[in-house]
Amino acid sequence: QSALTQPASVSGSPGQSITISCTGTSSDVGSYNLVSWYQQHPGIAPKLMIYEVNERPSGVSNRFSGSKSGNTASLTISGLQAEDEADYYCSSYAGSSTCVFGGGTKLTVL
Amino acid sequence: EVQLVESGGGLVQPGGSMRLSCAVSGFTLSSSWMHWVRQVPGKGLVWVSRINTDGISTTYADSVKGRFTISRDNAKNTLYLQMNSLRAEDTAVYYCARDVKNNYYMDVWGKGTAVTVS
């Protein structure tokens, strides 16, 4: 149950696109299309942004998209907006009915 | 409106026990898996435990296995986390979360309850 690897921070200017990577192993990300992404603003509970690699819940902007290649999943945010500044976490099914989260990435909108 | 409300957190001494509750409303608890996730302030999210719809199947992170027990009372629309043999490293905000498709992702979260072991 080792945490998935995310960059500690990323940044971008309004209107730009950014991508956050989430690297796991062949035991989690690489074996299952069960990767999800969460947005968390300070002091607030996480919010689901992407599930099953690339599915968006109702109400989430289509500026958010997900993908996966091998053991690495990615979250892309296009048309960056000030309100996108937050922490982002990936999560994956890790086998044996367990989950694992990434360490989190702080997104700064310049 | 779907809501999850955690309670039961507070201060406990090392080695002590505490039971967290998560009262749900706006949906039928019996149809969803549920999870507990914790977060040390300023740190990342850590998955703690999962329970299936009827409570028969439960799984735990290695760090809490044998000390924590997840359970549910579908009739009372409440999820529980019994925490025994608490350690300083269990200090965190504990969130309950719904897994509506029973597919290892959390679509609705509570606001969390803080547990301090000291």
Side-chain angles (χ1 to χ4, degrees), chain A residues 1 34 36 38 40 45-46 48 51-52 89 93 96-99 101, chain B residues 39 43-45 47 59-62 95 101 103-106 109-110:
Chain A
Q1 294 177 351
L34 295 175
S36 51
Y38 304 86
Q40 187 180 34
L48 177 67
Y51 65 96
E52 293 173 3
Y89 295 90
Y93 178 61
S96 301
S97 301
T98 65
C99 288
F101 279 92
Chain B
Q39 184 174 36
K43 302 296 185 182
L45 300 172
W47 176 79
T59 47
Y60 302 90
D62 288 343
Y95 296 100
K101 286 185 69 176
N103 216 11
Y104 299 98
Y105 67 85
M106 298 101 189
W109 296 63

Side-chain angles (χ1 to χ4, degrees), chain B residues 43-104:
Chain B
K43 302 296 185 182
L45 300 172
V46 176
W47 176 79
V48 172
S49 183
R50 176 226 67 141
I51 188 168
N52 75 336
T53 52
D54 61 11
I56 299 299
S57 174
T58 59
T59 47
Y60 302 90
D62 288 343
S63 58
V64 307
K65 200 174 297 182
R67 300 186 300 121
F68 289 13
T69 302
I70 189 172
S71 63
R72 62 196 295 158
D73 186 333
N74 289 336
K76 293 184 177 180
N77 287 317
T78 304
L79 173 74
Y80 303 100
L81 185 68
Q82 176 67 42
M83 305 185 294
N84 298 331
S85 303
L86 282 161
R87 307 166 180 166
E89 54 264 36
D90 295 319
T91 295
V93 173
Y94 285 75
Y95 296 100
C96 63
R98 184 181 77 169
D99 182 349
V100 71
K101 286 185 69 176
N102 306 337
N103 216 11
Y104 299 98

Side-chain angles (χ1 to χ4, degrees), chain B residues 1-7 20-36 51-53 70-81 95-100 107-112:
Chain B
E1 180 191 6
V2 174
Q3 278 196 314
L4 309 178
V5 179
E6 303 92 339
S7 61
L20 306 183
S21 298
C22 170
V24 313
S25 59
F27 71 101
T28 303
L29 180 63
S30 60
S31 63
S32 296
W33 290 1
M34 297 293 291
H35 299 262
W36 287 98
I51 188 168
N52 75 336
T53 52
I70 189 172
S71 63
R72 62 196 295 158
D73 186 333
N74 289 336
K76 293 184 177 180
N77 287 317
T78 304
L79 173 74
Y80 303 100
L81 185 68
Y95 296 100
C96 63
R98 184 181 77 169
D99 182 349
V100 71
D107 69 308
V108 180
W109 296 63
K111 294 185 187 316

